[in-house]
Amino acid sequence: MSLNPLANPKGVKLLCELCQKPAYLQCTSCRVTYYCSEEHQKVDWVGIHEKICSLLLPLRTPIPLVSSEEERKHRQAQLLNRQKQMIDMTRTEGSKLLFEGAHEAAVPAALQALRFSIAVYGLSSVELVPAYLVLGEASIGLGRLSQAEEYLSQARWTVLKTPDCDAAIKSKMYRICGLLQAAKGNFSEALKNYANDIYHAALVSGPKHVKTSGGYFHMANVFFRKGQTETAHNIYSEVVNTWSEMLKNVVNLEETQAESTLTSFVDKPTQGGEILDEAQELKQYRCYTPSTICSKTTPIMGQQTWLCFYTHSHFYIPIFWDTSRLKSSYRTL
């Protein structure tokens, strides 16, 4: 529905959901979301609005005045709970879209996560960092490196102001900072960031965990681009060993729990009974897609298969795997 900014009540400025410029369009469904153009409305719809349109009205409608203090507190608690649920939903959706390579569509989801995080936790909270990181990674994918640098600077500053910041958040931050420096061709800075990523990931999960292996993989990519193929190959081999060990654990677990269906190679406990959630699973996939990476299986010698991780330079790592032990429910990389 079209809007005329001059017709807005005095003191009311309706701004575009994506760029914060004056709005000329209104969502005809929720009627609480505005856009400067049809293009931005389409981008937001594909990115996140289709999934949250019906949820925005109660979140953006002022809480009515009630006489009871108890009722006011109850409504405020309800609002806070809904906002936190929206943060989780939009963060996960942004991560999914990044995994799918839909960088432009990931931006609206991350912006919503950032806005709701600010509303709940304030401007200086470390809870804003995950949204900044999604925005930074999406900007890198879109080639907007200066914009990515702004988002990552905000993330770094927030982390520096938070002495007790979780090591997992620091790991993600350094990894995406490494991607930015690699995209800019600053390989020495990229390696420093990946080293910090590996260190903090190891603090959380250990040096031989698949979560830590992502930093090693990106580090190997940098060495490969620098022409140090032997070093890159050695690191790639360590990454393969880590994933191969995890895959063996998954298969062993499946054999001991035949009644359960294995739908993904990372949605079951690996070591120490740990379970990866949906967003973490996507990040493990994303570790192996710094720019253009594909994977395939090639049958050889009857029951064996070799899996290839292809980097942007078409370097591949073979893993020989005995497919006779895998059930039809098992999904390869």
Side-chain angles (χ1 to χ4, degrees), residues 1-303:
M1 185 172 69
S2 298
L3 297 173
N4 185 347
L6 297 178
N8 294 338
K10 187 176 181 180
V12 175
K13 293 183 179 180
L14 302 178
L15 303 177
C16 177
E17 195 76 4
L18 296 188
C19 65
Q20 297 298 293
K21 292 180 180 179
Y24 296 91
L25 296 172
Q26 180 186 41
C27 175
T28 55
S29 181
C30 67
R31 295 185 177 273
V32 291
T33 310
Y34 307 94
Y35 304 95
C36 66
S37 64
E38 289 184 4
E39 180 184 0
H40 277 190
Q41 186 174 17
K42 289 178 182 178
V43 171
D44 190 42
W45 180 262
V46 172
I48 192 65
H49 193 70
E50 181 182 11
K51 297 175 180 63
I52 65 173
C53 183
S54 60
L55 306 175
L56 289 175
L57 182 59
L59 290 170
R60 294 184 174 179
T61 303
I63 298 176
L65 294 175
V66 292
S67 57
S68 169
E69 178 70 19
E70 183 178 350
E71 179 65 19
R72 283 197 297 271
K73 289 182 178 179
H74 175 68
R75 294 193 180 190
Q76 288 173 349
Q78 276 188 326
L79 176 62
L80 183 62
N81 185 52
R82 288 172 178 169
Q83 288 174 325
K84 288 182 177 179
Q85 290 176 347
M86 191 67 74
I87 292 171
D88 292 337
M89 181 190 302
T90 51
R91 280 181 185 174
T92 301
E93 188 63 27
S95 296
K96 281 185 179 180
L97 291 167
L98 282 180
F99 157 65
E100 295 167 359
H103 299 100
E104 188 173 10
V107 171
L111 286 175
Q112 290 289 359
L114 182 61
R115 291 192 188 105
F116 284 113
S117 297
I118 291 172
V120 174
Y121 302 107
L123 283 168
S124 59
S125 172
V126 73
E127 294 291 338
L128 277 60
V129 172
Y132 283 132
L133 296 182
V134 174
L135 287 166
E137 190 172 358
S139 298
I140 294 170
L142 293 168
R144 303 168 186 168
L145 301 187
S146 58
Q147 190 174 49
E149 198 155 17
E150 291 180 13
Y151 287 129
L152 294 178
S153 294
Q154 288 282 356
R156 291 178 75 105
W157 176 242
T158 304
V159 168
L160 285 173
K161 293 190 300 181
T162 312
D164 58 344
C165 178
D166 186 61
I169 292 178
K170 291 182 179 180
S171 171
K172 292 179 183 178
M173 181 191 71
Y174 284 118
R175 185 170 301 180
I176 298 173
C177 287
L179 290 175
L180 174 62
Q181 295 303 325
K184 293 168 68 175
N186 298 333
F187 295 141
S188 60
E189 287 299 315
L191 290 174
K192 289 179 184 177
N193 279 287
Y194 291 142
N196 281 318
D197 162 28
I198 293 167
Y199 169 74
H200 288 96
L203 290 179
V204 178
S205 306
K208 296 293 185 179
H209 198 277
V210 291
K211 293 181 183 178
T212 310
S213 68
Y216 284 114
F217 184 83
H218 288 303
M219 182 178 282
N221 286 339
V222 172
F223 281 117
F224 192 86
R225 291 176 64 183
K226 291 176 69 176
Q228 300 178 24
T229 54
E230 184 176 354
T231 302
H233 178 74
N234 291 336
I235 300 175
Y236 282 134
S237 297
E238 288 300 316
V239 174
V240 168
N241 291 337
T242 299
W243 277 85
S244 180
E245 187 64 29
M246 188 274 290
L247 288 168
K248 290 177 184 176
N249 292 336
V250 171
V251 173
N252 291 334
L253 179 66
E254 188 188 31
E255 290 178 341
T256 58
Q257 298 178 351
E259 70 281 0
S260 62
T261 301
L262 183 61
T263 57
S264 169
F265 71 96
V266 289
D267 65 1
K268 291 293 182 181
T270 55
Q271 295 179 358
E274 182 179 4
I275 299 176
L276 300 182
D277 63 25
E278 186 177 21
Q280 290 170 333
E281 177 180 348
L282 291 170
K283 287 305 267 187
Q284 299 314 314
Y285 278 109
R286 188 65 182 90
C287 288
Y288 298 96
T289 55
S291 44
T292 305
I293 300 177
C294 62
S295 57
K296 67 178 182 179
T297 60
T298 304
I300 60 174
M301 299 174 61
Q303 295 296 332

